């Protein structure tokens, strides 16, 4: 059975007061996985209570809970977790063209401030509905988290440039084939950031890295380049509970992973922007 590490030696990087984890999932009993998704995580269900232990360990004060693929378009588990976490939490839900104004208001009142588009296996709503999700999000002042195979970013560039909402290129861009800091994909990413609508999320580097841990050099090279280019457009997340890990020996040490990823910022000031100031505004904590 998978056992998750929830505590241990604290990270060497001291997180500033108000730090926001902008990428994680959490689960409560009574919400089964739905067809089309990957299933609930293995082992003991990673609950809000477990995550609070991780918050204490790492020094996290606030959190953005993202709708899990396991629950597809049913946001009930997300709403229950938001209610349990209380005022320190915001949510990123799954919506589509058929989500009514009534449902949008219900989600907003519960603490949801964003929508998820994931055009990868297991995702509930893909790029086919990007414009519809964007329109709904813009009407309610939400952010859209967009995840796809980043090596196709040139194909989607014009659609992304036309986004009305603030939006996030999720999970380091998910470049499954490594790219260069001075390559065409990075140039496109910079142009998208220059629109004033695009943000870039540091989270789940191990999901796309070809060089692998513990340093994830390929992802680190792009992350460092973008963090230096536009520190005011970076956010960070733990990606807890690391759902790709299927066995205890595969499970990362969150303190070590945090130290590695946060070393990619060019300065303490840039790091603090990503941990507090940027997500505080983007996810409406103020």
């Amino acid at each position: 059975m998978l056992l998750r590490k929830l505590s241990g030696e604290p990270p060497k990087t001291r997180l500033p007061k108000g730090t926001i984890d902008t990428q994680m999932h959490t689960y409560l009993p009574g919400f089964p996985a739905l067809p089309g998704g990957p299933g609930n995580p293995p082992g003991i269900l990673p609950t809000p209570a477990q995550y609070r232990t991780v918050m204490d360990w790492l020094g996290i004060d606030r959190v953005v809970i993202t709708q899990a693929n396991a629950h597809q378009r049913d946001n009930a588990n997300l709403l229950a977790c938001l209610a349990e976490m209380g005022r320190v939490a915001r949510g990123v839900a799954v919506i589509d063209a058929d989500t009514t104004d009534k449902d949008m208001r219900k989600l907003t009142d519960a603490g949801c401030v964003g929508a998820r588009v994931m055009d990868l296996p297991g995702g509930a709503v893909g790029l086919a509905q990007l414009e519809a999700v964007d329109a709904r999000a813009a009407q309610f002042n939400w952010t859209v988290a967009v995840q796809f195979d980043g090596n196709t970013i040139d194909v989607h560039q014009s659609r992304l440039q036309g986004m009305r909402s603030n939006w996030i290129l999720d999970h380091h861009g998910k470049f499954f084939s490594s790219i260069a800091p001075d390559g065409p994909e990075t140039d496109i990413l910079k142009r998208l950031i220059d629109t004033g609508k695009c943000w870039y999320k540091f989270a789940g580097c191990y999901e796309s890295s070809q060089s692998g841990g513990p340093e994830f050099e390929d992802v680190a090279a792009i992350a460092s380049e973008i963090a230096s280019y536009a520190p005011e457009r970076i956010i960070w997340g733990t990606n807890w509970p690391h759902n790709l890990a299927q066995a205890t020996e595969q499970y990362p040490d969150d303190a070590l992973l945090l130290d590695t990823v946060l070393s990619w910022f060019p300065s303490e000031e840039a790091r603090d922007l990503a941990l507090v100031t940027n997500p505080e505004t983007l996810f409406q904590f103020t």
Side-chain angles (χ1 to χ4, degrees):
M1 182 175 71
L2 171 67
L3 296 176
R4 295 179 183 86
K5 183 177 175 67
L6 303 178
S7 61
E9 287 294 318
K12 295 175 182 176
T13 308
R14 186 177 179 85
L15 301 186
K17 183 178 169 125
T19 288
I20 299 168
D21 176 0
T22 70
Q23 177 65 37
M24 57 81 68
H25 311 288
T26 188
Y27 305 76
L28 284 166
F31 299 96
L34 299 177
N40 279 327
I44 298 171
L45 203 63
T47 62
Q50 288 187 28
Y51 179 70
R52 284 189 180 277
T53 301
V54 174
M55 292 176 78
D56 291 342
W57 171 28
L58 301 181
I60 296 166
D61 295 309
R62 296 175 289 182
V63 62
V64 179
I65 306 172
T66 298
Q67 166 78 347
N69 288 327
H71 301 127
Q72 292 291 287
R73 302 188 190 197
D74 183 349
N75 293 294
N77 173 78
L78 172 63
L79 297 188
C81 290
L82 286 170
E84 182 152 329
M85 290 299 298
R87 296 179 63 184
V88 302
R90 298 290 186 271
V92 172
V94 167
I95 62 172
D96 57 25
D98 297 325
T99 305
T100 65
D101 284 356
K102 180 180 179 181
D103 286 338
M104 289 294 297
R105 284 191 290 270
K106 177 183 175 182
L107 291 166
T108 301
D109 289 346
C112 292
V113 293
R116 185 180 201 194
V117 171
M118 183 176 178
D119 203 62
L120 291 168
V125 171
L127 286 170
Q129 292 214 43
L130 179 66
E131 286 78 11
V133 171
D134 179 36
R136 295 267 67 199
Q139 185 178 352
F140 284 83
N141 194 31
W142 281 20
T143 294
V144 181
V146 184
Q147 187 176 165
F148 58 94
D149 181 344
N151 295 104
T152 65
I153 196 168
D154 58 329
V155 176
H156 307 299
Q157 179 181 357
S158 62
R159 297 175 70 196
L160 295 169
Q161 283 177 325
M163 293 281 285
R164 296 165 53 193
S165 311
N166 287 328
W167 67 278
I168 302 156
L169 186 62
D170 225 337
H171 286 263
H172 295 279
K174 277 283 176 83
F175 296 101
F176 290 114
S177 295
S178 298
I179 64 172
D182 59 352
E185 299 91 347
T186 307
D187 287 343
I188 291 172
L189 175 52
K190 289 178 178 178
R191 288 198 292 273
L192 290 171
I193 287 172
D194 288 344
T195 66
K197 292 288 188 181
C198 174
W199 305 67
Y200 183 80
K201 185 191 288 177
F202 282 26
C205 56
Y206 48 77
E207 293 189 355
S208 58
S209 175
Q210 298 301 301
S211 55
E215 299 300 328
F216 308 100
E217 292 89 351
D218 52 351
V219 174
I222 306 307
S224 299
E225 177 71 17
I226 299 302
S228 295
Y229 181 77
E232 75 284 358
R233 291 289 166 182
I234 311 299
I235 57 176
W236 164 84
T238 60
N239 207 37
W240 193 86
H242 310 290
N243 284 339
L244 285 187
Q246 297 295 303
T248 302
E249 58 270 19
Q250 298 172 340
Y251 200 80
D253 182 308
D254 276 287
L256 297 178
L257 184 61
L258 180 153
D259 284 331
T260 297
V261 173
L262 296 188
S263 73
W264 300 341
F265 287 95
S267 66
E268 184 177 351
E269 291 75 18
R271 187 178 69 214
D272 288 357
L273 278 174
L275 296 178
V276 182
T277 308
N278 298 344
E280 193 171 63
T281 301
L282 187 62
F283 293 104
Q284 303 178 35
F285 279 95
T286 55

